[in-house]
């Protein structure tokens, strides 16, 4: 089983930055896709970003393009989400997730059977 441990959430002023980390253990991440999702109160879970572990192919939801950067450190089995220019509407619980083998990133939560515990990101105005 892939196990995911998140860190880096917190409270920040609008315009500030946070970096989320997701450390993975268990089976190899090779061949998998890793992703970030978020869920704000009263809203559906929303795709944020994803990356293929093998070649680093990245995708983002439109609302975070140019502000967020997803990356990976293969040696550390860790995925990151650098969040800059944060806005109050970015406030949500952020989850990291891992897929089974797949060749390209996916925006669909059902493609990710392994999930972290979630970390709260709060952006004040």
């Amino acid at each position: 089983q892939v196990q995911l441990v998140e860190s880096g959430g917190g409270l920040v002023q609008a315009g500030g930055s946070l970096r989320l980390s997701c450390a993975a253990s268990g089976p190899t991440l090779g061949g998998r896709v890793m992703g970030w999702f978020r869920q704000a109160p009263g809203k559906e879970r929303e795709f944020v970003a994803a990356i293929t572990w093998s070649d680093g192919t990245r995708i983002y939801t439109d609302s975070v393009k140019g502000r967020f950067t997803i990356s990976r450190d293969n040696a550390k089995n860790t995925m990151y989400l650098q969040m800059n220019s944060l806005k109050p509407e970015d406030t949500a619980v952020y989850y990291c997730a891992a897929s089974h083998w797949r060749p390209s990133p996916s925006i669909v939560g059902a493609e990710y059977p392994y999930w972290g515990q979630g970390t709260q990101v709060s952006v004040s105005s």
Side-chain angles (χ1 to χ4, degrees), residues 27-113:
T28 179
L29 297 179
R32 301 181 190 271
V33 172
M34 296 282 288
W36 290 98
F37 294 77
R38 65 188 182 186
Q39 188 167 25
K43 293 188 176 181
E44 301 272 341
R45 183 180 60 192
E46 176 189 23
F47 169 78
V48 178
I51 185 168
T52 59
W53 207 254
S54 57
D55 66 6
T57 301
R58 298 165 171 84
I59 59 171
Y60 299 90
T61 192
D62 286 344
S63 64
V64 308
K65 287 180 180 177
R67 299 189 298 121
F68 291 9
T69 303
I70 189 171
S71 62
R72 77 204 196 282
D73 186 327
N74 295 66
K76 296 180 179 179
N77 292 321
T78 300
M79 176 179 66
Y80 305 95
L81 185 68
Q82 179 66 48
M83 303 183 294
N84 298 326
S85 301
L86 282 162
K87 305 174 181 179
E89 52 263 44
D90 295 317
T91 294
V93 177
Y94 283 69
Y95 299 90
C96 66
S99 76
H100 292 302
W101 185 93
R102 62 176 295 112
S104 60
S106 175
I107 68 171
V108 179
E111 298 285 350
Y112 298 83

Side-chain angles (χ1 to χ4, degrees), residues 14-34:
S17 298
L18 286 172
R19 189 179 75 158
L20 305 183
S21 299
C22 178
S25 61
T28 179
L29 297 179
R32 301 181 190 271
V33 172
M34 296 282 288

